[in-house]
Amino acid sequence: MTLFVLVPVLDESPNIPRLVANLARLADSLRGEMECRALFVDDGSTDGTADRIRQEAGSLAVEVLRHDVNLGPGRAFATGFRHLAPRLADADWVATMEGDNTSRVETLLQMLVRRREGFEVVLASPYMYGGGLSHTSLLRLFLSHVANGLIKELLGIHGILTMSSFFRLYSAPVLKRLQARYGDAVLETPGFECMVELLAKLIEVDATISEVAMPLDGSQRLGKSKMKIVRTIRGYLRTFRLGRKWRRQ
């Protein structure tokens, strides 16, 4: 059994040493239960992120894919999922994480417990009791809550607290169902809205979904967030327009 950890990165060189060290700690925690392999998709970094990953890897099994120019997190995840598709056995799992150290290994270990309860997808949620957001601007908090509420109503998604977080765990069979239904169009949106798209499509293939509480601490990030607010809002509006097409497919 293998856990593939898929991480899109863009100019995250300062965050790489701690990130790789945390993934190595995760691999040690899982030794004897499952193998842990990290797949980074460098989305056009110009600060040597890919080289820094290779330098820091040590004993951690690491693979780096690279886009020559920045295409957006949706395209980075699409590249990663496409690369993993032929490599996944039915017993395998894929975790997706932030590249800026705001995704905690301890939370992922809790998410892995949920897989034993029969869930195919586990989301990390700062909005559950026991979670929370700290060291995050009031504007981003406001936009996050508004976006979550609008998305739930416009896409008809209910019973899920967190819509857009990168931090998730997927079983190989549910990813294969997505591939069978949507082919190379598993992810069509290029920006941060891609996680909303993926969640909507998971619901369409009848995935069983659970959530665990996640404390999200922005102080763990070195450098600025890569999210552009206006661009992300436009992406969500595009997601609403595409929603009907996904349900018809």
Side-chain angles (χ1 to χ4, degrees), residues 21-112:
N22 285 338
L23 291 176
R25 183 160 54 90
L26 172 68
D28 287 339
S29 299
L30 296 174
R31 186 164 286 117
E33 181 181 1
M34 59 173 60
E35 181 185 5
C36 181
R37 305 183 66 87
L39 174 63
F40 291 88
V41 181
D42 183 357
D43 190 29
S45 296
T46 58
D47 68 345
T49 291
D51 291 336
R52 192 72 182 272
I53 292 168
R54 297 185 183 99
Q55 292 166 7
E56 299 288 338
S59 61
L60 179 68
V62 164
E63 189 172 5
V64 182
L65 308 178
R66 178 168 167 78
H67 294 161
D68 291 334
V69 297
N70 176 232
L71 301 177
R75 299 287 184 255
F77 278 121
T79 293
F81 284 129
R82 205 162 38 240
H83 180 78
L84 289 174
R87 294 164 172 78
L88 292 176
D90 284 346
D92 293 341
W93 290 79
V94 176
T96 56
M97 297 177 68
E98 301 273 3
D100 60 4
N101 290 310
T102 56
S103 299
R104 300 174 61 207
V105 165
E106 292 78 10
T107 302
L108 181 52
L109 291 172
Q110 295 173 15
M111 295 159 74
L112 286 165

